[in-house]
Amino acid sequence: MEQTSYQWQDECLERWMDRGGRGMVQAVTGSGKTRLALCAILALEQKIGRDVLVKIVVPTSALMRQWERALREFLAEMEDVSDRGGVASAVNGRDSGFDENIRREDGRNRISLRGGGRKGPTDRKYMIYVINSARYELARQILMQLERGEAVLLIADECHHYASGENQLIFEFLTRIDPAKADYYSLGLSATLPSGQDGRVLADALGPRIYSYGMRMASAMKTVCPFDIFHISLTFQREEREEYEDLTEKIQICYNRLRKSVPDLGRLSQKERFEELRRLSAGKDRRVAKQALSYMNLTYKRKSLVCLASARISCAEELIRRINPAEKILIFGERIAQAEELYRILYRHYPGKVGRCHSEMGEQANRNNLERFRTGEFRMLITCKSLDEGVDIPDASVGIILSGTSAQRQRTQRLGRIIRKLEGKKRASLYYLHIGETSEDICYLPGAGENRLFEMFYESSYRNFKNPEYDRAAMAVLDELRNAEYKTLREARRCLDCGRVRGDWMEGRDEIQRRICDASTVEERNYWVCMKKVSADI
């Protein structure tokens, strides 16, 4: 089906073309970066009037397969447009008449994959590489093609990965050419472009940042699904709290000793401090090395204690019990052991409806489980970090961050997994679980326009949630029903308990009334009647 571009994509493409087809774009996950890049290919060929060899670099094999699907669909779409009388312009939607590059040819014969066990031929028009395979061959291939006078477009997806270590080898051809004279074009894509030295490396290779499209703008322009964010504060068990306080005290003592030996340590950023501590731990001064190593071990142990707090598992379990059973749920953790523990618990309650993806599963098992989630066989998918980037499952509408991360990039990516637009998808919900009164970030993600933020508490002893604003209205509803039959009162409590962890009570009265009329079961109708009462009491 032919798609139209968003306004931001048109503006971005125009700016990219004005820059000579070089530059980096920072755009929120789910807003259409892949579509932008595919349109850039067409726009570039239309401008220079000849074929372009396209090299797409991605960080994972899952993302490679996703790009392959998107590219095939795009080529088929362009063939369909061509049959109707000319290829639509990628920038402004007008017919260009330039259709030499769009032929009735099977897209599979024009696309080749390198990486993730795939070793396709290297002479195809569209080459998609996983970075691990691209490191040692891509630069040589690009150089050879440029020296032959070919035009080459390098698309670096999730380009923040390619500024460090061996990944920079993909840009080695730039030492042998003059980018201003060669037919070399580049487009870097990321939801969070790096700054500092990494940013400079990427700018030299791909061009400067030419466009930023953040969450606030995407929400205002409705290119992502409206979303609710629930910050849920958890508490330690008593033994966990005591261990946390003990570790914190030891960390402070260790740090004070280090500061006496290395006074400049306090002036460093968190990342710089960690790198300096690693250097010190391997240094010749054994006393300082021992202190640095002890500090890193203590902080890791404390982080693990926070990450694996027992309340997280029970909170996730209770959330899922209350979430609308029609919603597809992605659950993000930081540790494999934690993901496996939650999987075992959920599988007992929802056999055949929950899967997991992580590095110890194996690539084929992960691929199968992801596909089963994509097709709807699984309703829930538990992952660690393998789905943070490049997984497109538009009908996933709920995310639960089981254990948090201080990296803003990872937070943005995880939110991006659930806010992709899809016909019929009204809202998305992200639940961020954090331990109160600890070093863990609360993670205030951006909110704007139709997006809403809720502060909640989870009492693990009672397996119950508190949502202060909602609770006052819910108590008023129960007070109205105090003389009702026990069966009616019990059903009202069930509905109100579910509503406590959802944002449905914030919907307008007309929308709630429509939901009451459209309800397919008595339970669903009762739920929306209760939400109508709560809304009236707010």
Side-chain angles (χ1 to χ4, degrees):
M1 178 182 296
E2 185 179 351
Q3 301 178 11
T4 57
S5 56
Y6 292 124
Q7 178 183 340
W8 82 267
Q9 294 169 324
D10 295 340
E11 293 173 354
C12 183
L13 274 179
E14 185 174 354
R15 195 171 300 178
W16 183 70
M17 296 300 293
D18 289 343
R19 288 272 187 170
R22 296 196 69 211
M24 294 186 291
V25 176
Q26 178 170 288
V28 63
T29 303
S31 60
K33 293 192 297 294
T34 302
R35 179 75 182 183
L36 169 74
L38 295 173
C39 289
I41 298 169
L42 182 59
L44 181 60
E45 290 185 331
Q46 289 169 351
K47 181 173 183 178
I48 67 176
R50 65 190 184 105
D51 233 5
V52 172
L53 299 177
V54 180
K55 316 293 183 183
I56 302 168
V57 183
V58 298
T60 65
S61 56
L63 193 48
M64 176 182 69
R65 292 189 295 272
Q66 183 171 303
W67 267 93
E68 182 191 20
R69 285 194 299 271
L71 188 51
R72 286 184 187 175
E73 291 171 1
F74 186 78
L75 292 175
E77 177 187 324
M78 291 300 101
E79 288 172 353
D80 183 54
V81 173
S82 179
D83 287 346
R84 298 202 307 269
V87 179
S89 168
V91 177
N92 57 27
R94 296 192 302 268
D95 287 348
S96 69
F98 184 80
D99 62 356
E100 284 83 357
N101 296 310
I102 308 299
R103 297 298 184 202
R104 181 64 65 184
E105 181 181 357
D106 188 349
R108 297 179 188 179
N109 295 329
R110 312 177 73 195
I111 303 170
S112 183
L113 310 182
R114 302 281 293 180
R118 305 291 291 274
K119 296 183 179 180
T122 59
D123 61 349
R124 296 296 187 260
K125 174 179 170 60
Y126 303 100
M127 298 293 305
I128 308 176
Y129 297 82
V130 177
I131 183 61
N132 291 348
S133 297
R135 289 172 185 158
Y136 308 111
E137 61 179 72
L138 180 58
R140 184 176 66 254
Q141 292 166 8
I142 291 177
L143 180 61
M144 179 180 62
Q145 289 163 343
L146 289 174
E147 289 178 341
R148 287 203 309 254
E150 304 270 15
V152 176
L153 168 60
L154 173 60
I155 298 173
D157 194 19
E158 306 293 355
C159 63
H160 52 271
H161 286 287
Y162 313 140
S164 57
E166 290 184 298
N167 289 350
Q168 288 188 41
L169 292 174
I170 65 174
F171 306 127
E172 202 170 33
F173 66 93
L174 289 167
T175 62
R176 304 278 299 276
I177 68 164
D178 182 351
K181 296 179 179 178
D183 279 336
Y184 166 62
Y185 306 93
S186 53
L187 178 62
L189 304 170
S190 176
T192 47
L193 288 173
S195 57
Q197 179 59 28
D198 285 355
R200 289 189 288 273
V201 168
L202 292 177
D204 289 342
L206 300 170
R209 181 186 307 201
I210 59 170
Y211 202 91
S212 292
Y213 188 67
M215 188 69 72
R216 187 173 296 274
M217 188 182 298
S219 297
M221 298 181 71
K222 301 185 185 302
T223 55
V224 295
C225 179
F227 57 88
D228 296 331
I229 295 177
F230 297 82
H231 288 160
I232 304 181
S233 179
L234 315 176
T235 57
F236 279 132
Q237 298 292 336
R238 188 184 66 181
E239 296 81 3
E240 293 171 335
R241 170 59 65 182
E242 290 173 353
E243 184 179 358
Y244 179 86
E245 292 174 352
D246 181 57
L247 286 168
T248 299
E249 184 178 352
K250 290 178 179 177
I251 288 170
Q252 189 61 52
I253 292 171
C254 189
Y255 182 69
N256 290 339
R257 288 173 179 167
L258 275 168
R259 285 287 303 275
K260 291 179 180 178
S261 302
V262 190
D264 290 341
L265 205 59
R267 300 189 184 99
L268 302 178
S269 67
Q270 185 175 355
K271 182 179 179 181
E272 291 170 335
R273 188 184 306 149
F274 180 76
E275 291 300 323
E276 178 64 10
L277 287 167
R278 286 182 61 182
R279 188 188 67 80
L280 292 171
S281 67
K284 294 181 179 180
D285 188 328
R286 292 187 177 181
R287 182 179 60 84
V288 173
K290 184 178 180 180
Q291 290 173 349
L293 187 61
S294 177
Y295 180 86
M296 289 192 295
N297 287 338
L298 287 168
T299 53
Y300 179 80
K301 191 173 182 180
R302 187 176 69 171
K303 182 179 179 181
S304 294
L305 178 67
V306 173
C307 181
L308 300 176
S310 57
R312 296 184 188 274
I313 296 291
S314 69
C315 180
E317 185 183 356
E318 290 302 318
L319 270 177
I320 291 167
R321 190 171 66 82
R322 292 165 171 81
I323 290 170
N324 186 337
E327 307 270 16
K328 288 178 71 171
I329 305 171
L330 277 169
I331 305 167
F332 301 94
E334 293 293 303
R335 304 293 169 85
I336 290 174
Q338 186 183 53
E340 287 290 335
E341 180 184 357
L342 182 59
Y343 170 76
R344 289 190 293 270
I345 291 171
L346 294 179
Y347 191 84
R348 288 199 298 268
H349 297 304
Y350 311 96
K353 293 298 181 182
V354 57
R356 75 270 204 217
C357 285
H358 55 70
S359 59
E360 292 184 4
M361 291 284 294
E363 185 172 339
Q364 188 59 50
N366 283 337
R367 189 183 306 176
N368 293 343
N369 285 343
L370 181 58
E371 187 61 25
R372 293 170 77 179
F373 183 65
R374 196 189 305 275
T375 60
E377 182 181 348
F378 288 158
R379 179 193 165 213
M380 291 164 274
L381 191 64
I382 306 169
T383 181
C384 291
K385 297 180 181 179
S386 59
L387 299 188
D388 282 354
E389 294 177 330
V391 176
D392 187 5
I393 310 174
D395 59 343
S397 54
V398 173
I400 299 175
I401 299 184
L402 188 63
S403 48
T405 170
S406 60
Q408 182 62 31
R409 174 178 294 123
Q410 197 174 46
R411 298 170 179 176
T412 303
Q413 288 163 341
R414 289 176 171 182
L415 177 60
R417 301 278 75 79
I418 63 167
I419 60 174
R420 296 180 185 274
K421 294 195 74 172
L422 183 70
E423 186 176 353
K425 180 176 175 180
K426 295 185 178 298
R427 297 195 76 85
S429 301
L430 182 75
Y431 299 87
Y432 181 87
L433 281 51
H434 65 95
I435 304 295
E437 299 179 354
T438 71
S439 58
E440 185 175 23
D441 289 324
I442 293 181
C443 182
Y444 284 99
L445 288 161
E450 298 180 46
N451 306 322
R452 305 178 299 221
L453 177 67
F454 301 91
E455 298 289 348
M456 295 176 56
F457 305 89
Y458 176 68
E459 299 176 311
S460 55
S461 300
Y462 303 100
R463 300 177 78 89
N464 192 35
F465 295 90
K466 287 188 175 181
N467 185 339
E469 184 179 6
Y470 175 92
D471 290 345
R472 289 190 291 271
M475 287 299 296
V477 173
L478 289 175
D479 190 54
E480 292 178 20
L481 297 172
R482 61 185 179 275
N483 296 323
E485 294 182 0
Y486 173 74
K487 184 178 179 181
T488 301
L489 193 57
R490 184 179 63 184
E491 174 66 357
R493 284 177 174 152
R494 180 194 69 80
C495 295
L496 292 169
D497 193 35
C498 291
R500 184 171 285 109
V501 301
R502 309 182 195 177
D504 295 331
W505 52 285
M506 296 285 287
E507 299 290 343
R509 293 182 63 82
D510 290 344
E511 174 64 16
I512 292 176
Q513 185 59 48
R514 189 187 68 77
R515 296 292 190 98
I516 292 172
C517 296
D518 292 346
S520 57
T521 65
V522 173
E523 290 80 5
E524 184 182 0
R525 185 179 187 280
N526 290 341
Y527 172 78
W528 284 105
V529 167
C530 286
M531 293 305 100
K532 183 177 181 179
K533 289 181 175 294
V534 169
S535 178
D537 285 321
I538 293 295

